Amino acid sequence: MERALYDYLLRRGDDSLILSQRLSEWCGHAPTIEVDLSLANLGLDLLGQATLFLDYAASMNADVHNADALAFHRDAAEFRNCLLVEQPNGDFAQTIVRQFLYSTWQKMLFDRLAFSKDPTVAAIAAKAVKEISYHADLSADWMIRLGGGTDESNRRLKAGVEWMWRLVPELLVADEIDNELITKDIAPDPASFETDFMTKIAEVFAEAGLDVSPLPRNFASGRRGYHSEHLGHLLCTMQYLPRAYPDAQW
Amino acid sequence: MSSDWPLWEVFIRVRGGLSHRHAGSVHAPDGEMAMRHARDTYTRRMEGVSLWVIQSNDIIASDPADSSALFEPAQDKIYRHPTFYALPTEVEHM
Amino acid sequence: MYTTELQKNPRILPVSTEAAEQTVAFEARVAGDEYIEPKDWMPEAYRKTLVRQISQHAHSEIVGMLPESNWLTRAPSLRRKAILFAKVQDEGGHGLYLYAAAETLGTSRAEMIDALHDGRAKYSTIFNYPTMNWADIGAIGWLVDGAAIMNQVPLQRTSYGPYARAMVRICKEESFHQRQGFDIMLHMAKGTAEQKAMAQDALNRWWWPSLMMFGPPDDNSPNSAQSMRWRIKRETNDEIRQKFIDATVPQAALLGLTLPDPDLKWNDAKGGHDFGAIDWEEFNAVVRGEGPCALERISARRTAWDDGAWVRDAADSYAAKQSSKKAA
Ligand SMILES: [Fe+2]
Ligand SMILES: [Fe+2]
Ligand SMILES: [Fe+2]
């Protein structure tokens, strides 16, 4: 098994899976029915991406039967998602900030991943990038409306940014796994779109009336399995049934 | 009463070559969001290739009370329809 | 049923002769299977009954998301999660379509939602029961969506155009809901001993409330005749309940599960099943708002709406600022 690619697939799959799980928590509880439907569409797109990446990963690992085995039978330390996506929903502003930051980054990553030398990765990314494009635009629209809406929405949006901002630097790190795949032209270098990413954020933040703070030191390394306290609780809920009844087929 | 967004009407072109047809309504704060809500509500099953949204208040509808004046005068203009004209049987297509 | 009359009909009599003439013409149109459209004249009682029926139906769709989303975060496989996510999202869409249909009658969604939140409006009794294990999600799809479809298919030809059109869209979307529920039940019933126990437990708890969904027996359903005449109800409560039971019995047998009714048996003479007495006291209590999850459901809806107020206000205020900028 190609260890680096396997790990990379987990990173991509886990990001989408965990963010989808967070979005599913909104189902039935959003500010209006329309927003409920929008968030569910995002969640479903991400769930589809997760399934494709994790199935591909599973196909590389003889010990793992399928995507479900990866999603439901790994512990927090084996998850490879970034810390941004596992953050609690908070209020709608916090959810939107998380979505905007992640989707904007994911869009730029997948634009490039669609040209991966690995044909399966390229195909998944090419399909996903259309979905992500919509996620990025929709969340940017909401950033601008919340920022330029009322005093309250502006205050809440700022609080959301304050919560999430410390987790942005993790997105820009390339470690030895990335580097190995970058050399093989399987994955893009996050540094190659860092400027574009920061420019896009600055653009939307400006329209939303937000200041862009300098990026803080990175403390997050979800890609190595070091997570926030939130992931364990999310997994307790998500994995409960398959863990409690390991022999069951659902 | 609690607050909600204004109502918009959604029209979908089901596929190329067809005209837009009324699909339903959404609530949205503005046109851009109405478009997003229309997409997220009415095109989840590949229902269309193009969307129109218009604020419901901006639609001007005919009054059913006028419908006899508006629509009945067309009833006796049967000469507007090709079936009004009898053709000699020798003419196969016209 | 989602649309079962849970509140008293208004008794509004035409006062003027003009109204009386219009009423006669209206009744003739409805009797002739014509559609009534929003701007057409209609009797006040028809309008009010429709607003109540459609909004009650809409509330049921929205409140109905809650017992199912209770298990969305715990769906046991990625496939089940995607199916349930899409299914519950559909129910939200149904609520949206129906609120919009009711809005054509001169009410607003906010008004209807307020009525739900302060207890003036009802929703289907079925959603006041808890979802306790994963098989409950199967049971809801199989029984509750199954029952809903039976009621909703004929409503595609209901007399009020916007309502009929909403029902057409809804029925199209509903078609996979019952199947996915039955599919869950099938996997549970044919699964491990623990899964089978969950399936039987779910069926035991959902069976009677499902039968109550169709509403009180016909002899105790005073407004049925008028609603049938107006084509806003197409079959009586008892007829459709019987149809549902007859359709479900063989499905339960196929699952190898036992319907929790010792009196249930085929009656050759009537060409349908006899069944045990329904506990109408329980039904009435749930209608009164005393169901086991009634407080949870309304409080969840109220919280979502109230917590969303600042979001709706923010977007409105942004839109207002933009249009005044444009005007300037
Ligand atoms: Fe494998
Ligand atoms: Fe529904
Ligand atoms: Fe349904």
Side-chain angles (χ1 to χ4, degrees), chain C residues 164-232:
Chain C
R165 292 189 285 275
M167 291 317 307
V168 168
R169 184 170 283 276
I170 287 171
C171 286
K172 212 183 282 170
E173 298 187 359
E174 279 291 342
S175 55
F176 90 89
H177 293 185
Q178 189 183 20
R179 287 184 187 197
Q180 65 86 34
F182 190 76
D183 190 56
I184 290 175
M185 288 309 269
L186 205 56
H187 278 75
M188 297 298 280
K190 307 289 177 202
T192 63
E194 287 154 322
Q195 283 177 297
K196 180 157 189 186
M198 287 185 223
Q200 184 61 56
D201 172 48
L203 179 54
N204 292 348
R205 284 179 289 104
W206 289 95
W207 175 247
W208 291 105
S210 297
L211 298 188
M212 293 176 198
M213 274 175 79
F214 297 97
D218 294 347
D219 53 20
N220 190 20
S221 184
N223 304 310
S224 269
Q226 185 182 57
S227 289
M228 302 273 277
R229 195 178 77 241
W230 279 343
R231 293 197 299 125
I232 54 183

Coordinates of all heavy atoms in Angstrom, one line a residue, chain C residues 164-232:
Chain C
A164 N -53.2 21.3 -4.8 CA -53.1 20.1 -5.7 C -51.7 20.1 -6.3 O -51.1 19.0 -6.3 CB -54.2 20.1 -6.7
R165 N -51.2 21.2 -6.8 CA -49.9 21.2 -7.4 C -48.8 20.9 -6.4 O -47.8 20.2 -6.7 CB -49.7 22.6 -8.1 CG -50.6 22.8 -9.3 CD -50.2 24.0 -10.1 NE -50.6 25.2 -9.5 CZ -51.8 25.8 -9.6 NH1 -52.7 25.3 -10.3 NH2 -52.0 27.0 -9.0
A166 N -48.9 21.4 -5.2 CA -47.9 21.1 -4.2 C -47.9 19.6 -3.9 O -46.9 19.0 -3.8 CB -48.2 21.9 -2.9
M167 N -49.1 19.0 -3.9 CA -49.2 17.6 -3.6 C -48.6 16.7 -4.7 O -48.1 15.7 -4.5 CB -50.7 17.2 -3.4 CG -51.3 17.7 -2.1 SD -50.3 17.6 -0.6 CE -49.9 15.9 -0.6
V168 N -48.7 17.2 -6.0 CA -48.1 16.5 -7.1 C -46.6 16.4 -6.9 O -46.0 15.3 -7.0 CB -48.4 17.2 -8.4 CG1 -47.6 16.6 -9.5 CG2 -49.9 17.0 -8.7
R169 N -46.0 17.5 -6.5 CA -44.6 17.6 -6.3 C -44.2 16.7 -5.1 O -43.2 15.9 -5.1 CB -44.1 19.0 -6.1 CG -42.6 19.2 -5.9 CD -42.3 20.7 -6.0 NE -42.3 21.2 -7.3 CZ -41.3 21.2 -8.1 NH1 -40.2 20.6 -7.8 NH2 -41.4 21.7 -9.4
I170 N -45.0 16.8 -4.1 CA -44.7 16.1 -2.8 C -44.8 14.5 -3.1 O -43.9 13.8 -2.7 CB -45.7 16.5 -1.7 CG1 -45.3 17.9 -1.2 CG2 -45.7 15.5 -0.6 CD1 -46.3 18.5 -0.3
C171 N -45.8 14.1 -3.8 CA -46.0 12.7 -4.0 C -44.9 12.1 -4.8 O -44.4 11.0 -4.6 CB -47.4 12.4 -4.7 SG -48.7 12.6 -3.6
K172 N -44.4 12.9 -5.8 CA -43.2 12.5 -6.6 C -42.0 12.3 -5.7 O -41.3 11.3 -5.8 CB -42.9 13.6 -7.6 CG -42.4 13.1 -8.9 CD -42.0 14.2 -9.9 CE -43.2 14.8 -10.6 NZ -42.8 16.0 -11.4
E173 N -41.8 13.2 -4.7 CA -40.7 13.1 -3.8 C -40.9 12.0 -2.8 O -39.9 11.3 -2.4 CB -40.4 14.4 -3.2 CG -40.1 15.5 -4.1 CD -39.6 16.8 -3.5 OE1 -39.6 16.8 -2.2 OE2 -39.3 17.7 -4.2
E174 N -42.1 11.8 -2.4 CA -42.4 10.8 -1.4 C -42.1 9.4 -1.8 O -42.0 8.5 -1.0 CB -43.9 10.9 -1.0 CG -44.3 12.0 0.0 CD -43.7 11.8 1.4 OE1 -43.3 10.6 1.7 OE2 -43.6 12.8 2.1
S175 N -42.0 9.2 -3.1 CA -42.1 7.8 -3.6 C -41.0 6.9 -3.0 O -41.1 5.7 -2.9 CB -42.1 7.7 -5.1 OG -41.0 8.4 -5.6
F176 N -39.8 7.5 -2.6 CA -38.8 6.7 -2.1 C -38.8 6.6 -0.5 O -38.2 5.7 0.0 CB -37.4 7.1 -2.6 CG -36.7 8.2 -1.7 CD1 -35.8 7.8 -0.7 CD2 -36.8 9.5 -2.0 CE1 -35.2 8.7 0.1 CE2 -36.1 10.4 -1.2 CZ -35.3 10.0 -0.1
H177 N -39.6 7.5 0.1 CA -39.6 7.5 1.5 C -40.1 6.2 2.2 O -39.5 5.7 3.1 CB -40.5 8.7 2.1 CG -39.9 10.0 1.7 ND1 -40.5 11.2 2.1 CD2 -38.8 10.3 1.0 CE1 -39.7 12.2 1.7 NE2 -38.8 11.7 1.0
Q178 N -41.2 5.7 1.7 CA -41.7 4.5 2.3 C -40.7 3.3 2.0 O -40.5 2.5 2.9 CB -43.1 4.1 1.8 CG -43.7 3.0 2.5 CD -45.1 2.6 2.0 OE1 -45.4 2.8 0.9 NE2 -45.8 1.9 2.9
R179 N -40.2 3.3 0.8 CA -39.3 2.2 0.4 C -38.0 2.1 1.3 O -37.6 1.1 1.7 CB -38.9 2.2 -1.0 CG -40.0 1.8 -1.9 CD -39.6 1.9 -3.4 NE -40.7 1.6 -4.2 CZ -40.6 1.3 -5.5 NH1 -39.4 1.1 -6.0 NH2 -41.6 1.1 -6.2
Q180 N -37.5 3.3 1.5 CA -36.2 3.3 2.3 C -36.6 2.9 3.8 O -35.8 2.2 4.4 CB -35.5 4.7 2.3 CG -36.3 5.9 2.9 CD -36.1 6.0 4.4 OE1 -35.0 5.7 4.9 NE2 -37.1 6.5 5.1
G181 N -37.8 3.2 4.3 CA -38.1 2.8 5.6 C -38.3 1.3 5.6 O -37.8 0.6 6.5
F182 N -39.0 0.7 4.6 CA -39.2 -0.7 4.6 C -37.8 -1.4 4.4 O -37.6 -2.5 5.1 CB -40.1 -1.1 3.4 CG -40.6 -2.5 3.4 CD1 -41.5 -2.9 4.3 CD2 -40.0 -3.4 2.6 CE1 -41.9 -4.3 4.4 CE2 -40.4 -4.8 2.6 CZ -41.4 -5.2 3.5
D183 N -36.9 -0.8 3.7 CA -35.6 -1.4 3.5 C -34.8 -1.5 4.8 O -34.1 -2.4 5.1 CB -34.9 -0.6 2.4 CG -33.6 -1.3 2.0 OD1 -33.6 -2.4 1.6 OD2 -32.5 -0.6 2.2
I184 N -35.0 -0.4 5.6 CA -34.3 -0.5 7.0 C -35.0 -1.6 7.8 O -34.2 -2.4 8.4 CB -34.5 0.9 7.7 CG1 -33.7 2.0 7.0 CG2 -34.1 0.8 9.2 CD1 -33.9 3.4 7.6
M185 N -36.3 -1.7 7.8 CA -37.0 -2.7 8.5 C -36.5 -4.1 8.1 O -36.3 -5.0 8.9 CB -38.5 -2.6 8.4 CG -39.1 -1.4 9.1 SD -38.7 -1.3 10.8 CE -40.0 -2.2 11.6
L186 N -36.4 -4.3 6.8 CA -36.0 -5.5 6.2 C -34.6 -5.9 6.8 O -34.4 -7.1 7.2 CB -36.0 -5.4 4.7 CG -36.2 -6.7 3.9 CD1 -37.4 -7.4 4.2 CD2 -36.1 -6.3 2.4
H187 N -33.7 -5.0 6.7 CA -32.3 -5.3 7.2 C -32.4 -5.6 8.7 O -31.6 -6.4 9.2 CB -31.4 -4.1 6.9 CG -30.8 -4.2 5.6 ND1 -31.6 -3.8 4.5 CD2 -29.6 -4.5 5.1 CE1 -30.9 -4.0 3.4 NE2 -29.7 -4.4 3.7
M188 N -33.2 -4.8 9.5 CA -33.3 -5.0 10.9 C -33.9 -6.4 11.2 O -33.4 -7.1 12.1 CB -34.1 -3.9 11.6 CG -33.4 -2.5 11.4 SD -31.8 -2.3 12.2 CE -32.3 -2.1 13.9
A189 N -35.0 -6.7 10.5 CA -35.8 -7.9 10.8 C -35.0 -9.1 10.4 O -35.2 -10.2 11.0 CB -37.1 -7.8 10.1
K190 N -34.2 -9.0 9.4 CA -33.4 -10.2 9.0 C -32.0 -10.2 9.6 O -31.1 -11.0 9.2 CB -33.3 -10.2 7.4 CG -34.6 -10.1 6.7 CD -35.4 -11.4 6.8 CE -36.8 -11.2 6.1 NZ -37.8 -12.1 6.7
G191 N -31.7 -9.2 10.4 CA -30.4 -9.0 11.0 C -30.1 -9.9 12.2 O -30.7 -11.0 12.4
T192 N -29.3 -9.4 13.1 CA -29.0 -10.1 14.3 C -30.2 -10.1 15.3 O -31.2 -9.4 15.0 CB -27.8 -9.4 15.1 OG1 -28.3 -8.1 15.5 CG2 -26.6 -9.2 14.2
A193 N -30.1 -11.0 16.3 CA -31.3 -11.1 17.2 C -31.5 -9.7 17.8 O -32.7 -9.3 18.0 CB -30.9 -12.1 18.3
E194 N -30.5 -8.9 18.1 CA -30.7 -7.6 18.7 C -31.4 -6.7 17.7 O -32.3 -5.9 18.1 CB -29.3 -7.0 19.1 CG -28.7 -7.6 20.3 CD -27.2 -7.5 20.2 OE1 -26.6 -7.6 19.1 OE2 -26.6 -7.2 21.3
Q195 N -31.0 -6.8 16.5 CA -31.7 -5.9 15.5 C -33.2 -6.3 15.3 O -34.0 -5.4 15.2 CB -31.0 -6.0 14.1 CG -29.7 -5.3 14.0 CD -29.0 -5.5 12.7 OE1 -28.6 -6.6 12.4 NE2 -28.9 -4.5 11.9
K196 N -33.4 -7.6 15.3 CA -34.8 -8.0 15.1 C -35.6 -7.5 16.3 O -36.8 -7.1 16.2 CB -34.9 -9.5 15.0 CG -36.3 -10.0 14.8 CD -36.4 -11.4 14.2 CE -37.9 -11.5 13.9 NZ -38.3 -12.8 13.4
A197 N -35.0 -7.6 17.5 CA -35.8 -7.1 18.7 C -36.1 -5.6 18.6 O -37.1 -5.2 18.9 CB -34.9 -7.4 20.0
M198 N -35.1 -4.9 18.0 CA -35.3 -3.4 17.8 C -36.5 -3.2 16.9 O -37.3 -2.4 17.1 CB -34.1 -2.7 17.3 CG -33.0 -2.6 18.3 SD -31.6 -1.6 17.4 CE -30.2 -2.5 18.0
A199 N -36.5 -4.0 15.8 CA -37.5 -3.9 14.8 C -38.9 -4.1 15.3 O -39.9 -3.4 15.1 CB -37.2 -4.8 13.6
Q200 N -39.0 -5.2 16.1 CA -40.3 -5.6 16.7 C -40.7 -4.5 17.7 O -41.9 -4.1 17.7 CB -40.2 -7.0 17.4 CG -41.5 -7.5 17.9 CD -42.6 -7.6 16.8 OE1 -42.4 -8.3 15.9 NE2 -43.7 -7.0 17.0
D201 N -39.8 -4.0 18.5 CA -40.1 -3.0 19.5 C -40.6 -1.7 18.8 O -41.6 -1.1 19.2 CB -38.8 -2.7 20.3 CG -38.9 -1.5 21.2 OD1 -40.0 -1.4 21.9 OD2 -38.1 -0.6 21.2
A202 N -39.9 -1.4 17.7 CA -40.4 -0.2 17.0 C -41.8 -0.4 16.4 O -42.6 0.5 16.5 CB -39.4 0.1 15.8
L203 N -42.0 -1.5 15.8 CA -43.4 -1.8 15.3 C -44.4 -1.8 16.4 O -45.5 -1.2 16.3 CB -43.4 -3.2 14.6 CG -44.7 -3.6 14.0 CD1 -45.3 -2.5 13.0 CD2 -44.5 -4.9 13.2
N204 N -44.1 -2.4 17.6 CA -45.0 -2.4 18.7 C -45.4 -0.9 19.1 O -46.6 -0.7 19.4 CB -44.4 -3.0 19.9 CG -44.2 -4.5 19.7 OD1 -44.7 -5.1 18.8 ND2 -43.4 -5.1 20.6
R205 N -44.4 0.0 19.1 CA -44.7 1.3 19.5 C -45.4 2.2 18.4 O -46.1 3.1 18.7 CB -43.4 2.0 20.0 CG -43.0 1.5 21.4 CD -41.7 2.1 21.9 NE -40.5 1.6 21.2 CZ -39.9 2.3 20.3 NH1 -40.3 3.5 19.9 NH2 -38.8 1.8 19.7
W206 N -45.1 1.9 17.1 CA -45.6 2.8 16.1 C -46.9 2.4 15.5 O -47.5 3.1 14.8 CB -44.5 3.0 15.0 CG -43.4 3.9 15.5 CD1 -42.2 3.4 16.0 CD2 -43.3 5.3 15.6 NE1 -41.4 4.5 16.4 CE2 -42.1 5.6 16.1 CE3 -44.2 6.3 15.2 CZ2 -41.7 7.0 16.4 CZ3 -43.8 7.6 15.4 CH2 -42.6 7.9 16.0
W207 N -47.3 1.1 15.7 CA -48.4 0.6 15.0 C -49.7 1.4 15.4 O -50.4 1.9 14.5 CB -48.6 -0.9 15.3 CG -49.9 -1.5 14.7 CD1 -51.0 -1.9 15.3 CD2 -50.2 -1.6 13.3 NE1 -51.9 -2.3 14.5 CE2 -51.4 -2.1 13.2 CE3 -49.5 -1.3 12.1 CZ2 -52.1 -2.4 12.0 CZ3 -50.1 -1.5 10.9 CH2 -51.3 -2.1 10.8
W208 N -50.0 1.4 16.6 CA -51.3 2.1 17.0 C -51.3 3.6 16.7 O -52.3 4.1 16.1 CB -51.6 1.8 18.5 CG -52.0 0.3 18.7 CD1 -51.2 -0.6 19.3 CD2 -53.2 -0.3 18.3 NE1 -51.8 -1.9 19.2 CE2 -53.1 -1.7 18.6 CE3 -54.3 0.1 17.6 CZ2 -54.1 -2.6 18.4 CZ3 -55.3 -0.8 17.3 CH2 -55.2 -2.2 17.7
P209 N -50.2 4.3 17.1 CA -50.2 5.7 16.7 C -50.3 5.9 15.2 O -50.9 6.9 14.7 CB -48.8 6.2 17.2 CG -48.5 5.3 18.3 CD -49.1 4.0 17.9
S210 N -49.8 5.0 14.4 CA -50.0 5.1 12.9 C -51.5 5.0 12.5 O -51.9 5.7 11.7 CB -49.2 4.0 12.2 OG -47.8 4.1 12.4
L211 N -52.2 4.1 13.2 CA -53.6 3.9 12.8 C -54.4 5.2 13.3 O -55.4 5.5 12.6 CB -54.2 2.7 13.5 CG -53.6 1.3 13.1 CD1 -54.4 0.2 13.7 CD2 -53.6 1.2 11.6
M212 N -53.9 5.8 14.3 CA -54.6 7.0 14.8 C -54.4 8.2 13.9 O -55.2 9.1 13.8 CB -54.1 7.4 16.2 CG -54.5 6.4 17.3 SD -53.7 6.9 18.8 CE -53.8 5.4 19.8
M213 N -53.3 8.1 13.1 CA -53.0 9.2 12.2 C -54.2 9.5 11.2 O -54.3 10.6 10.7 CB -51.8 8.8 11.2 CG -50.5 9.1 11.7 SD -49.3 8.4 10.6 CE -49.3 9.6 9.3
F214 N -55.0 8.5 10.9 CA -56.0 8.7 10.0 C -57.2 9.5 10.6 O -58.1 9.8 9.9 CB -56.5 7.3 9.4 CG -55.4 6.6 8.7 CD1 -54.7 5.6 9.3 CD2 -55.2 6.9 7.3 CE1 -53.7 5.0 8.6 CE2 -54.2 6.3 6.6 CZ -53.4 5.3 7.3
G215 N -57.1 9.7 11.9 CA -58.1 10.6 12.5 C -59.3 9.8 13.1 O -59.3 8.5 12.9
P216 N -60.2 10.4 13.8 CA -61.3 9.8 14.5 C -62.1 9.0 13.5 O -62.2 9.2 12.3 CB -62.0 10.9 15.1 CG -61.6 12.2 14.5 CD -60.2 11.9 13.9
P217 N -62.9 8.0 14.1 CA -63.8 7.2 13.2 C -64.8 8.1 12.6 O -65.1 9.2 13.1 CB -64.4 6.2 14.2 CG -64.1 6.7 15.6 CD -62.9 7.6 15.5
D218 N -65.3 7.7 11.4 CA -66.2 8.5 10.6 C -67.4 9.0 11.4 O -67.8 10.2 11.2 CB -66.7 7.7 9.4 CG -65.5 7.4 8.5 OD1 -64.4 8.0 8.7 OD2 -65.7 6.6 7.6
D219 N -68.0 8.2 12.3 CA -69.1 8.7 13.0 C -68.8 9.8 14.0 O -69.7 10.4 14.6 CB -69.9 7.5 13.7 CG -68.9 6.7 14.6 OD1 -67.9 7.2 14.9 OD2 -69.3 5.5 14.8
N220 N -67.5 10.0 14.2 CA -67.1 11.1 15.1 C -66.3 12.1 14.3 O -65.4 12.8 14.9 CB -66.3 10.5 16.2 CG -66.1 11.5 17.4 OD1 -66.8 12.5 17.5 ND2 -65.1 11.2 18.2
S221 N -66.5 12.3 13.1 CA -65.7 13.2 12.2 C -66.7 14.1 11.5 O -67.0 13.9 10.3 CB -64.9 12.4 11.3 OG -64.0 13.2 10.5
P222 N -67.2 15.1 12.3 CA -68.4 15.8 11.8 C -68.2 16.6 10.5 O -69.2 16.9 9.8 CB -68.7 16.8 13.0 CG -67.4 16.9 13.7 CD -66.7 15.6 13.5
N223 N -67.0 17.0 10.2 CA -66.8 17.9 9.1 C -66.4 17.2 7.8 O -66.2 17.8 6.8 CB -65.8 19.0 9.4 CG -66.1 19.7 10.6 OD1 -67.3 20.2 10.8 ND2 -65.2 19.8 11.6
S224 N -66.4 15.9 7.9 CA -65.9 15.1 6.8 C -66.8 15.3 5.5 O -66.3 15.5 4.4 CB -66.0 13.6 7.1 OG -64.7 13.2 7.6
A225 N -68.1 15.3 5.7 CA -69.0 15.4 4.6 C -68.7 16.7 3.8 O -68.6 16.7 2.5 CB -70.4 15.4 5.0
Q226 N -68.6 17.8 4.5 CA -68.3 19.1 3.8 C -67.0 19.0 3.1 O -66.8 19.5 1.9 CB -68.4 20.2 4.8 CG -68.2 21.6 4.1 CD -68.2 22.7 5.1 OE1 -67.4 22.7 6.0 NE2 -69.2 23.6 5.0
S227 N -66.0 18.5 3.7 CA -64.6 18.4 3.1 C -64.6 17.5 1.9 O -63.9 17.8 1.0 CB -63.6 18.0 4.2 OG -63.4 19.0 5.1
M228 N -65.4 16.5 2.0 CA -65.5 15.6 0.8 C -66.2 16.3 -0.3 O -65.7 16.2 -1.5 CB -66.3 14.3 1.2 CG -65.7 13.5 2.3 SD -64.5 12.3 1.8 CE -65.5 11.0 1.3
R229 N -67.2 17.0 0.0 CA -67.9 17.8 -1.1 C -67.0 18.8 -1.7 O -67.1 19.0 -2.9 CB -69.2 18.4 -0.5 CG -70.2 18.9 -1.5 CD -71.4 19.5 -0.9 NE -71.2 20.8 -0.4 CZ -71.3 21.2 0.9 NH1 -71.7 20.4 1.8 NH2 -71.1 22.5 1.2
W230 N -66.2 19.4 -0.9 CA -65.3 20.4 -1.4 C -64.0 19.8 -2.1 O -63.1 20.6 -2.5 CB -64.9 21.4 -0.3 CG -65.9 22.4 0.0 CD1 -66.9 22.8 -0.8 CD2 -65.9 23.2 1.2 NE1 -67.6 23.8 -0.2 CE2 -67.0 24.1 1.0 CE3 -65.2 23.3 2.4 CZ2 -67.4 25.0 2.0 CZ3 -65.5 24.2 3.3 CH2 -66.6 25.1 3.2
R231 N -63.9 18.5 -2.1 CA -62.8 17.9 -2.6 C -61.5 18.3 -2.0 O -60.4 18.4 -2.6 CB -62.7 18.1 -4.2 CG -63.8 17.4 -4.9 CD -63.5 17.2 -6.4 NE -63.2 18.5 -7.0 CZ -62.1 18.9 -7.7 NH1 -61.2 18.0 -7.8 NH2 -62.0 20.0 -8.3
I232 N -61.5 18.6 -0.7 CA -60.3 18.8 0.1 C -60.0 17.6 0.9 O -59.0 17.5 1.7 CB -60.3 20.1 0.9 CG1 -61.4 20.2 1.8 CG2 -60.3 21.3 -0.1 CD1 -61.5 21.5 2.6

